[in-house]
Amino acid sequence: MTNTVHGPLRYAHDEGHTDVCYTEDGTKFITCGADGDIRIWSSTDDSEDPIHNCIGEWALSVRHKGNNLYVATSSNDIQILTLPEGDRDGVLDRFVAPINHIATAKDSKLIALAGEDMEVKMINLERENKEVTIFDGFLGPCLCVAISPNSKMLAASSGDTKLRFWNIETTEMLKEISCFPKVNSFSNAKNLCRIDFDPVKGTQLAYPNEQSVIILNTSDWSTQAVLACENVFSAFSIVQYSPCGKYILATTEGGDFVIWEVSSETMVSCSKHEKSIAVCGLMWNPTGNGEIVYTDIEGQLGVITGAIKTNPQRTDEAETISNDGFDDAVELEGIQFEDDDEDNENAVSVEKLKRECMGSPDLELKNLEERSSHTLTPRPRTPEIPLQPPFMPSSTPGHLDPRYLCWNEVGVVKSYGRQADETASKSIEVDFHDATFHNNMMLQNYQDYTMGALSTAALAVASSSQIHVIPLAASSKEWLLKMEEPEEIVLVASSENLICFAMANYIVRVCSIFGIQRCVVSIPGPLVSMVAFKNILMVAYHAAGVRKGDQCINIRLMKFEGTSVDCKDIGSALGPESTLMWLGFSDVGTPAMMDSLGMLSLYPHNSNTWIPFCDTTRHVSFYTVQTNIAIILNYCRHQIYLMVFFVTTVFETNQTVGGIKCKGSMYPGFMPRPTMCEIPLQPPFAEAATEKTQMEMNLFTWSVLQVNDTDKKFKETALKTFALACKNDLDQRALEFMEILANPQILTLALKYASKLDKRRLVGKLMDIATKLSDESEDLGVAEISTPEPATVKPVYRKLSLSAAKYSRNKAQKTQEVSTPVVLQKSHVENRTPSNTDHSNEEAVSESTINTQVSFKLLVIFTYPAHTLFIQESLFPEEEPKNPFLKSLKKQPVNTTPNPLSLTDRTAGVVFEKENKKNGETGEKRKLCDLESTKKGKQRKLDSFKFTKHS
Amino acid sequence: MDPDEVEFLGEKQYVTIIPTFNSGVIHLISGDVGPFRASLPVRTPLWMAINLKQQQKCKIQQPDWMDVERLESIREDEKLSRTFTKMPNEHYMVIAKLLLGCASDDIPRADEIRTIIKDIWDIRMSKIRSSVDALVKNAGSYAAVDNLTVMEINSIRPILPHALDQLHRIKASRKRPGTQSLGTTTFVSSSNNRSSFPSTSFIS
């Protein structure tokens, strides 16, 4: 006894008569039904949608022959459809009444049609003129027709209770048997009276006769066998031989499925439709793997597997094993299961993984049974993971309507009307976020543009054959480029200065905004995505094939400046087995990407590496999404929690990512209009919830990215971190933190804090650092002058180093001011003024670290004499840079005229400078203005300054 | 206080808008607003939102309570409860009226929301009237005004204290038949009025 397994039912059509057939190669099956649609399925798997096409108000029967599908439709004709597209390809013939059933001959091009108009029509598809042969003599509607495999004989059942046979060549009626219930119309027929010829020899015909199936010998019209089943109480309706002719399947009006072995006349299997409703269409898989597909009167589609033993060797094997004395069926199954598993050692089957993941014992048992029967679908194949296809960043996929072509910091490009639909009016709308920047645009999409890119300079839309660019500054100056035949546009990108479009043959063409073709570059692999920013183009491409599920995507930056082209590969930051989801630039031009795991990474130019900056999944609440979406992430999970943040923009200066939180879907919808939201850029540090980590994350972010207005926050956070370490008695941590930061001003404040807490050891260590820092900065200063700036694609200055410079400058001023009270030193200060006066201004405001470092050095130089003279205070001047802290520590009364010892008072230093310059009391404000105005061009004076110092 | 003044107070409530322009922070006495970045939500006072909307410079996001399902459940609660239920916002009527008036295109199912809010308002007003009726008839000396919003209190305020005052006068004149002069009656009632709490407690 085999183990018949009914697959889960799937909705195929509306309630009513439904028919199903396999393609001749058995790979696909086609259903038609009461809703007038035909659907072409490759499997009943839920994840896959069938190809469908509407061919009328209803369809009664479908068959595949040659390259075409033949469907009996409501308009009393036989529609010809192409396969696998399912497009209409003409009409075979039209009749006066509906066609109830279609039969095709096995070894000829004959097609027989059972007509409601009491005739059977036969057409030879090979002949040009499609001549119709008519077999008549019926007294009721013809319900079913069958052609013998040798195309010699035709049989038809009719509503007048008769089963009739004809000789095809002579159209002479051979026999008439009365056996069916009487019915006046096909639509009223409960019993479909489906008959079938033995597919091998063609000498037998099986027909249903109430609760039995009769096999008739068509040569002598004798009843060869009567097959019945004791468990079946309703009348049989459909009878069909298996493709090998060894088995016969019959279904009843009550939904019973019974399979007999013809030779032994024994029942092989008996099962029941889960709803016990009548089956109205069924077919064996013509490849002979024992699969049966059926449809019921509620329009549902089901598949039976494992109904028969189709593999002869396997059957024998199984039999020998069972003959060896394994009485226990379970054990037998167990062994076979293992054996099966061994066979597939290296094969990964989705089925298997699914089973493992779902882990339902019932199902496992079922599958076990399924496996043991050896009548399975072919060997499980290794699922091939395809290369990620090209996509436009921040766009929604093409099968959606309406869809977003582009959603970025400038605006939103929306496309209405699906490409495939010829009749729908298609349009493209552009909404600009900033209404003051540009008015919203609307254009008719006659050319089927499917890609769109928007920048502050131009809108570029493209189909696979042409690109259309509308400069926003002068929208009447739009231009168009047409591609020659084999070339195909796959991606477009637009920026302030560039319009780029990538071709399917790995070539990227670059144009200017108003249509000069500037450049063409070759990309070493299939393109994945492309985006542009100012003069830079970023292209993601497949550098290699898929490596164990990982996409080998590389990202290349190209800079088009003037007529020159520069290029740099920057790799990518894809997580395991993920795909690229988004590619873009931040608002200051830092390359950014997001993988399908939701991790957003940035590539700060000065760090030269991808840094994960935002796990977008953490910020979106949990939504349950079914397998078919999750399949992108992890195809073996049955159900997975997936949170999707549709990234549109990275606001680096704000330290946020802008995008849309998608509820339960991968992509933002249209109604209601989704609102953008921002989530913070926070690198995924461990223990992200603690305050310490929060501060560490922020410090890291601020030092790596170009976030606005972080100077003060950075200082505060750094000190908080330092204070936290001090409070928890982690002096070493506090110390190493200061070593890492190496920022003189923060160090100053840290020293102050440590001395308040009375941590003498820490203070001492910190002082060492301060000395080292001043020494190092000196060396570094020299070194920095000699080394040219490393060439990067986009030169970026570091905000943090800038601010550090400011701090050190402040500090320099303070140390200067501290040095003034020392009486003897004053002379040295006087000494230095002549050399310094020329540059004091520049020195005070210089933005460069070098400058301040120099000033440090100067101080050191000038304080040395003081040190030698003041031996009793040797410690004090020797550690000149840290003087302020010592002073505050010792609480020395300072009664100097110019400045109180306030560390935070910035103007203190300015006053000192003013004195140096002998500017009088002109006021700090004016001075500050001066500083502002002379900010530029300081750098140049450095060298000369340095020379004076050395001399 | 007239309804305009209540509305003025209600306009200080914050709502979220989506600006279609870029602008820096606006410094106001009540606090800073902004910065405005096109298409990114920002919280602003209602009056500013309305003003910007009228200039078509923003889209207003409906407050989270302004949702058909939520309001329907509030309406049902209000119907079933004998006392007043808590409203989602102290100025729900003002906000609803202003937003539905000028930004109904930004609010999905605006008509339904308008109807439901009117229903809630009607239910509550009828409750107020019936409870005032009971208060006067039973000569109660105090009334709880929990969960009443400013607008609702304000709607009953012009008439109720006055009516109670009149009642008191009548009562006082009955109690002291000796005092016939009108002036004295007024004097007595006003002096008594100070100690009698029903009206004052209702107002506050």
Side-chain angles (χ1 to χ4, degrees), chain A residues 368-434:
Chain A
L368 208 76
E369 285 168 2
E370 196 182 326
R371 279 165 170 277
S372 60
S373 72
H374 293 294
T375 52
L376 281 193
T377 47
R379 277 171 76 90
R381 283 164 299 155
T382 311
E384 200 173 295
I385 297 165
L387 288 178
Q388 188 181 2
F391 73 97
M392 293 289 297
S394 302
S395 72
T396 54
H399 60 80
L400 298 177
D401 177 37
R403 63 182 281 240
Y404 294 105
L405 296 181
C406 173
W407 186 320
N408 61 14
E409 67 283 0
V410 183
V412 185
V413 185
K414 294 180 274 190
S415 160
Y416 294 91
R418 205 190 297 245
Q419 189 190 6
D421 198 346
E422 290 294 326
T423 53
S425 64
K426 283 168 272 187
S427 62
I428 290 178
E429 274 183 37
V430 187
D431 290 351
F432 291 90
H433 291 317
D434 188 348

Side-chain angles (χ1 to χ4, degrees), chain B residues 74-113:
Chain B
I74 289 172
R75 183 177 62 184
E76 293 315 305
D77 290 352
E78 188 68 53
K79 262 186 197 165
L80 296 175
S81 162
R82 271 190 67 246
T83 53
F84 296 98
T85 55
K86 180 136 178 64
M87 284 292 107
N89 189 294
E90 176 73 359
H91 294 281
Y92 77 99
M93 196 61 201
V94 175
I95 295 176
K97 188 169 175 294
L98 288 172
L99 289 191
L100 293 170
C102 79
S104 53
D105 52 334
D106 293 343
I107 297 167
R109 303 164 81 182
D111 289 336
E112 285 172 64
I113 290 172

Side-chain angles (χ1 to χ4, degrees), chain A residues 294-315:
Chain A
Y294 64 90
T295 52
D296 62 37
I297 52 167
E298 287 187 354
Q300 292 177 107
L301 174 74
V303 174
I304 300 176
T305 48
I308 53 163
K309 297 168 184 169
T310 45
N311 191 328
Q313 288 100 27
R314 285 287 186 140
T315 319

